């Protein structure tokens, strides 16, 4: 059977590492750090958001996890996230994928998923 994107991303272990690395990069990325640094003072909330994000990507990539967080529009509504901020998030994800030695096919597949969700994230 063909390997799913979930398999190719290293399943929950690989995706958890990716999300950890991406959030660390967001904390140091001046375009978006003001959105994320405040969560350093709310470790329980940060843990939950990260867990939701891991499950969101696992489920979206074909994994068995159930996503128990909010939908994208509800989550990002009122934040008025700009196109530039969206690009900064995409950059951090691609950088984390580089660092973790994912290939171009996986990066392309992840990019396609991110862009398909863009309308539910920016300018809300
Ligand atoms: C396609 C791109 C994106 C996806 C798939 C995504 C996905 C998610 C998910 C799954 C959550 C957790 C929701 C929950 O716990 O209920 C979340 C939360 C969050 N996202 Fe995004 N996100 C994206 C882009 C962005 C961008 C560009 C920003 C801003 C720079 C952003 C800022 C946040 C913040 C601040 C939270 C925490 C919200 C809270 O505390 O209520 N996201 N996102």
């Amino acid at each position: 059977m063909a390997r799913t994107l979930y398999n190719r991303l290293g399943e929950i272990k690989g995706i958890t590492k990716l999300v950890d690395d991406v959030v660390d990069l967001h904390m140091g990325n001046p375009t978006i750090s003001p959105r994320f640094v405040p969560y350093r003072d709310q470790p329980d909330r940060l843990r939950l958001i990260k867990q939701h994000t891991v499950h969101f990507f696992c489920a979206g990539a074909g994994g068995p996890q159930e996503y128990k967080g909010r939908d994208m529009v509800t989550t990002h509504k009122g934040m008025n996230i700009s196109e530039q901020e969206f690009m900064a998030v995409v950059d951090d994800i691609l950088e984390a994928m580089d660092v973790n030695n994912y290939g171009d096919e996986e990066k392309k597949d992840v990019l396609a998923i991110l862009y398909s969700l863009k309308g539910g994230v920016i300018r809300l």
Side-chain angles (χ1 to χ4, degrees):
M1 209 174 83
R3 274 155 57 80
T4 61
L5 180 59
Y6 177 68
N7 299 139
R8 290 187 285 124
L9 291 175
E11 308 197 343
I12 189 153
K13 191 160 173 249
I15 293 172
T16 301
K17 168 76 162 60
L18 259 185
V19 169
D20 278 340
D21 288 0
V22 167
V23 171
D24 286 348
L25 288 171
H26 287 353
M27 296 287 185
N29 183 334
T31 305
I32 48 173
S33 58
R35 302 274 193 189
F36 294 95
V37 167
Y39 291 96
R40 283 207 174 119
D41 297 330
Q42 307 167 60
D44 291 342
R45 172 119 196 104
L46 182 60
R47 228 186 326 274
L48 185 67
I49 291 167
K50 280 166 103 171
Q51 194 201 63
H52 284 162
T53 305
V54 167
H55 287 173
F56 182 85
F57 276 103
C58 286
Q65 290 75 13
E66 188 191 346
Y67 175 59
K68 296 202 178 114
R70 296 156 297 161
D71 65 72
M72 289 302 93
V73 171
T74 308
T75 299
H76 300 96
K77 205 170 192 105
M79 290 192 203
N80 196 19
I81 292 170
S82 68
E83 181 103 31
Q84 201 190 5
E85 288 180 294
F86 181 85
M87 290 314 302
V89 163
V90 171
D91 275 350
D92 285 348
I93 294 171
L94 289 179
E95 185 175 337
M97 290 188 78
D98 262 342
V99 168
N100 287 286
N101 297 312
Y102 287 98
D104 288 344
E105 280 304 310
E106 284 67 38
K107 284 192 226 162
K108 262 194 281 178
D109 290 348
V110 168
L111 265 186
I113 292 173
L114 294 174
Y115 277 99
S116 76
L117 297 167
K118 186 175 169 187
V121 171
I122 67 168
R123 294 191 214 103
L124 298 174

